[in-house]
Amino acid sequence: MEDFEAIYRRYLMEVYRYLLKLSGSSDVAEELTQETFAIVFEKIDRYEDRGKTLIWLCQIAKYEYYSWCRKNKVRTERLDENTPASEDVPLDQIIRREDNENAKRILHGLPEPYREVFLLRVIGEMSFKNIGKIFGKSESWGRVTFFRARKMIAERMGGDDHE
């Protein structure tokens, strides 16, 4: 098990980038990154390292983000400031928004490790090599698991994944 300082140095930017993707705000991401590591500091004695430190950190960060949203009455679906009132929204935008909600439901319904690998790759912008390391597997395993997750999502959305 790494000590707190080593974990902080190693994962600080990855947790920050993850929170930046979730919040869309560098100020919020910075604040929540510090909150995340404050919790980690308190719980480090009880954490059993199984090679999934980044996943553990991202789960704490995600919880902190949703708590922050509830406390600040912020919708978790970010909307552009220039989004028109609902009666002015074209049909294709409404369909896209519904597709996004459907995609979120599908993503949360994926079995592990597919969901975590997909999130680490897409939201965490993590390399396949690092994803493999997190799970104690190879880079190829990370790549294959990601593409299987993407295929599952495409199938559940009723589309084909041709990439």
Side-chain angles (χ1 to χ4, degrees):
M1 174 66 194
E2 296 178 81
D3 68 345
F4 175 78
E5 285 185 44
I7 289 173
Y8 183 80
R9 281 193 306 274
R10 182 171 178 191
Y11 297 108
L12 174 66
M13 290 310 298
E14 289 180 88
V15 170
Y16 171 79
R17 281 194 302 270
Y18 176 74
L19 286 163
L20 183 60
K21 285 278 190 182
L22 285 177
S23 68
S25 164
S26 58
D27 291 337
V28 171
E30 192 173 307
E31 174 186 337
L32 295 178
T33 298
Q34 294 308 314
E35 292 290 327
T36 297
F37 280 100
I39 290 168
V40 169
F41 183 77
E42 291 173 7
K43 296 184 177 191
I44 194 98
D45 299 356
R46 294 174 273 174
Y47 176 65
E48 295 179 29
D49 185 7
R50 294 190 178 107
K52 298 180 182 179
T53 304
L54 185 59
I55 293 171
W56 179 59
L57 294 170
C58 287
Q59 287 172 338
I60 293 169
K62 181 170 51 175
Y63 175 80
E64 286 302 302
Y65 170 68
Y66 287 120
S67 292
W68 179 88
C69 288
R70 281 190 303 277
K71 185 173 24 172
N72 292 287
K73 296 178 174 61
V74 173
R75 292 176 56 189
T76 55
E77 176 184 80
R78 287 184 298 153
L79 295 175
D80 185 17
E81 293 174 356
N82 300 321
T83 301
S86 59
E87 62 271 7
D88 298 332
V89 178
L91 183 59
D92 62 327
Q93 284 184 307
I94 293 170
I95 292 169
R96 237 181 290 130
R97 193 174 298 149
E98 287 175 5
D99 284 345
N100 286 340
E101 288 302 314
N102 187 35
K104 287 177 192 175
R105 279 191 293 280
I106 289 169
L107 181 59
H108 289 292
L110 284 181
E112 292 298 344
Y114 301 103
R115 181 173 52 118
E116 282 299 324
V117 168
F118 188 84
L119 290 171
L120 289 170
R121 178 68 180 175
V122 173
I123 295 180
E125 298 179 349
M126 192 174 290
S127 70
F128 291 120
K129 183 177 181 179
N130 286 338
I131 290 170
K133 282 182 183 178
I134 286 171
F135 287 91
K137 307 280 185 178
S138 68
E139 178 178 346
S140 295
W141 177 90
R143 186 179 307 277
V144 168
T145 304
F146 172 76
F147 286 105
R148 285 180 180 164
R150 214 171 70 179
K151 184 177 181 191
M152 282 184 225
I153 291 168
E155 287 170 354
R156 291 173 185 190
M157 289 185 84
D160 293 321
D161 188 14
H162 296 294
E163 284 187 52

